[in-house]
Amino acid sequence: MYKIFLYDGTFEGFMCAAFHIISEGIDKDRAIIVSKNEYQPMFIDSVREVQNDFKTFLEMRKGIIEKADNSVFKKIYYAFLSDTKDKEGYILRYLFSVLEHGKKIKYLYSVDIVNAVEKMAKNVSREIGKYMGLMRFYETDEGFLYAKFEPKNDIIKPIAYFFKNRLNEFCWAVHDVKRNKIAIYDKKRVQFLTCSNLKLEATQQDEMFQMLWKTYFKAMAIEERKNLKLQQQNMPKRYWKYLVEKN
């Protein structure tokens, strides 16, 4: 019989579930962590819902950093943001490996679970880096900047905190259309909310700037040197949807 640990879908909640499994000496191969919103009940399962406790999360984080280092903790966080199926299972087994190998975990690429988490984290890190440079904000009639995107991974939090430092003099909103999540910044703090069917219009002035940018982009392009294959290698098409110059 598997022991099912349900959590609230957050990174902190997941780490609390992992803490209980590790501290109670439960076999990692008999434990499953799953978001309570995704769990499909089975009669043979032993189910336990874990509460999100911030003190437990901090204790878990401290233990990982002391056993390995901060870069390993960041890798775990990025892997959690991945859209990989059963990411919780991969990360749980990785946590057991961290406890076993400590700082050496960073060099055990021949170990399947270490290699899998490394790839998940790198994929997320690359996507964050792409969107840091490719987000396109426009000014709305409501008086704040707005940008929408549809990332493969659930990266709205690191993206929002990046722009909190980059655009700290403006009020803005970043909208993950795929997941119906939005980050709102009011010049003081970032809030994360869920939303759907959000429709915002750009100001007339912003629409004029968009038109001018498209004109400039087209005028600067050298038709004879156009290389769409190379362009897509450097900037895959999935990033084009909300780029002004590509629409």
Side-chain angles (χ1 to χ4, degrees), residues 126-171:
R126 281 195 295 266
E127 187 172 43
I128 291 171
K130 287 283 188 183
Y131 276 114
M132 283 178 177
L134 293 174
M135 296 290 285
R136 294 292 188 267
F137 288 85
Y138 63 80
E139 186 176 3
T140 68
D141 288 328
E142 285 73 16
F144 62 87
L145 303 180
Y146 172 75
K148 53 186 176 180
F149 70 148
E150 296 182 28
K152 180 180 179 183
N153 302 293
D154 190 6
I155 60 172
I156 191 168
K157 283 193 174 182
I159 288 294
Y161 285 119
F162 169 76
F163 284 110
K164 178 179 181 290
N165 295 323
R166 189 75 176 269
L167 299 175
N168 58 2
E169 296 181 358
F170 302 91
C171 293

Side-chain angles (χ1 to χ4, degrees), residues 1-5 21 26 30-33 45-47:
M1 180 183 294
Y2 288 100
K3 294 187 176 182
I4 311 296
F5 289 78
I21 293 169
I26 298 172
R30 305 302 299 174
I32 297 175
I33 303 176
D45 290 339
S46 171
V47 182

Side-chain angles (χ1 to χ4, degrees), residues 217 226-237 240 246:
F217 184 80
K226 186 179 290 186
N227 188 335
L228 291 178
K229 185 177 180 181
L230 180 61
Q231 193 176 86
Q232 290 178 33
Q233 286 178 355
N234 293 323
M235 186 174 62
K237 260 194 167 183
W240 293 12
K246 289 294 184 182

Side-chain angles (χ1 to χ4, degrees), residues 5-18 33-38 50-54 57 76-77 79-81 87-88 91 154 157 181 192 194:
F5 289 78
L6 304 182
Y7 75 106
D8 61 0
T10 67
F11 178 59
E12 293 81 3
F14 165 78
M15 293 296 280
C16 289
I33 303 176
V34 60
S35 171
K36 59 185 178 182
N37 294 328
E38 299 177 0
V50 177
Q51 298 301 313
N52 186 338
D53 180 72
F54 195 61
F57 166 73
I76 292 168
Y77 174 56
F80 179 81
L81 300 180
K87 63 185 179 185
E88 294 92 346
I91 300 171
D154 190 6
K157 283 193 174 182
K181 293 182 177 182
F192 297 95
T194 57

Side-chain angles (χ1 to χ4, degrees), residues 15-17 19-20 53-61:
M15 293 296 280
C16 289
F19 174 85
H20 286 287
D53 180 72
F54 195 61
K55 288 184 178 179
T56 301
F57 166 73
L58 291 178
E59 185 176 346
M60 191 69 172
R61 184 181 70 175

